[in-house]
Amino acid sequence: MELSSRELWTVVHGMILGAIFLLAFAGGVAELLGLRSSYETPLGELKSSRRLVEGTWVMAVVAWLTVITGTFFVYPWYRAKPVSGADLIHYPRSYLLANPKMAEWHNFGMEWKEHVAWLAPILATAVAYVTWRYRNKIATDPVLRRGLIALFSIAFFAAGVAGVFGAFINKVAATR
Amino acid sequence: MTAIPHQNIDAGSSPASAELKSIAPIDTATGPAAAALTAGGLGCAAMGLLTTLAEASPAFKKALNLYDPVGPLSGKVAGAIIVYVLSWIVLGLVLRHQQVHLIRWLILTFILVACGLIFTFPPVYDLFTVH
């Protein structure tokens, strides 16, 4: 039961932080969908809005941690240039590009993932701030609530693209 | 300012009513919401713009390489975050006490986010790649 430091950071980035992000999204969107004054008592609204504020801030903080660890810890190992004569299996980007059947994992998958992932923390932070500041208004303002749900879902989509391609690429060319 | 959205609350002495009394008043100025959401859209659009510009100009791509282990992605990320934070500060100050049509600002935000999504999509920015 051993993990190298690179494997450990990959697990922290993709499995631990990524999983918390996805769980926080599920809870947050459920609260946003249900937070309507016609659905809940005033006390229920209060409790729901508190859970919502906590959930969205967790999602925002975790999203930042995920992209920071991915970009500045894991990605440099992925894109490291191999020294002459090195076994390319230890250099995921070069390994993928050297195999025509696998090159698209980098050219499409990794290229999309590394850029679109950064949309998630930006949008999650905007949603978390508005949720906190307008926590007593969301239940009675359908425009605000729907807008937040849509932006929250786009943040989830961006993180989902990054997560899915991250998992596949690490399967095809693992960062070890 | 309205204290809470429901006017028929029994403000008795139960723990539940004590909790209800702790509800903060509703923030009626919609400007800060518009500022935060639009700044998020601008941050996303900046990421898309920087990604596509880097493909269109090798010199610009080289200039974005702020941290060698990460490459040009470091400059794209730094640029997008700077745009996000600065635009939030500026819009936040301008709109802080204003009552705005939130739907208009939301539409602007979605357009900006769509730009971010479109211009970070490899088949799109590859159209601008200089070989």
Side-chain angles (χ1 to χ4, degrees):
Chain A
M1 293 257 299
E2 273 187 62
L3 283 175
S4 67
S5 65
R6 292 184 180 191
E7 288 168 331
L8 183 64
W9 276 111
T10 307
V11 167
V12 168
H13 162 70
M15 291 178 71
I16 297 175
L17 294 172
I20 295 171
F21 179 88
L22 298 182
L23 287 171
F25 171 80
V29 84
E31 291 291 353
L32 267 172
L33 285 168
L35 189 56
R36 302 177 195 201
S37 52
S38 56
Y39 284 9
E40 301 201 53
T41 63
L43 189 59
E45 251 179 57
L46 175 67
K47 303 258 185 198
S48 289
S49 63
R50 279 184 186 163
R51 283 195 301 269
L52 181 60
V53 169
E54 289 164 4
T56 50
W57 276 118
V58 166
M59 187 169 156
V61 169
V62 168
W64 283 109
L65 291 175
T66 307
V67 292
I68 288 167
T69 55
T71 301
F72 295 99
F73 294 2
V74 179
Y75 184 59
W77 296 322
Y78 169 84
R79 75 186 294 273
K81 289 187 171 63
V83 291
S84 173
D87 186 352
L88 290 185
I89 196 73
H90 300 298
Y91 300 88
R93 179 177 181 272
S94 301
Y95 174 75
L96 293 174
L97 290 174
N99 294 279
K101 286 183 179 175
M102 295 185 193
E104 281 305 297
W105 283 113
H106 173 78
N107 292 332
F108 178 75
M110 192 61 174
E111 289 284 344
W112 193 16
K113 164 190 165 64
E114 72 189 40
H115 294 111
V116 80
W118 279 92
L119 272 57
I122 291 172
L123 291 175
T125 304
V127 169
Y129 171 79
V130 173
T131 301
W132 165 72
R133 178 143 188 174
Y134 297 87
R135 58 196 177 279
N136 300 330
K137 195 177 183 184
I138 294 169
T140 54
D141 188 334
V143 170
L144 181 62
R145 187 175 60 250
R146 286 174 196 153
L148 290 176
I149 290 170
L151 289 172
F152 208 49
S153 301
I154 295 169
F156 176 73
F157 168 75
V161 167
V164 167
F165 276 107
F168 276 110
I169 291 167
N170 204 45
K171 191 81 179 167
V172 178
T175 300
R176 296 183 196 282
Chain B
M1 266 192 191
T2 313
I4 41 176
H6 300 268
Q7 302 301 314
N8 57 345
I9 296 165
D10 175 21
S13 56
S14 67
S17 58
E19 271 201 270
L20 285 170
K21 283 176 187 170
S22 71
I23 298 174
I26 290 176
D27 195 339
T28 51
T30 48
L37 298 175
T38 308
L42 283 167
C44 294
M47 189 67 193
L49 186 68
L50 289 169
T51 302
T52 301
L53 284 176
E55 294 303 311
S57 164
F60 185 63
K61 190 172 192 172
K62 199 176 173 187
L64 287 172
N65 191 1
L66 303 180
Y67 177 54
D68 212 33
V70 175
L73 181 61
S74 56
K76 296 170 196 173
V77 166
I81 292 172
I82 289 168
V83 167
Y84 174 46
V85 173
L86 285 182
S87 61
W88 193 354
I89 292 169
V90 171
L91 286 170
L93 288 171
V94 171
L95 301 174
R96 62 185 159 170
H97 299 306
Q98 290 192 30
Q99 185 68 31
V100 300
H101 288 285
L102 198 55
I103 188 78
R104 291 179 190 169
W105 289 85
L106 273 169
I107 289 168
L108 175 62
T109 299
F110 286 121
I111 291 169
L112 291 166
V113 172
C115 287
L117 287 170
I118 290 166
F119 290 107
T120 54
F121 189 54
V124 173
Y125 67 69
D126 281 348
L127 296 173
F128 299 87
T129 303
V130 175
H131 295 286

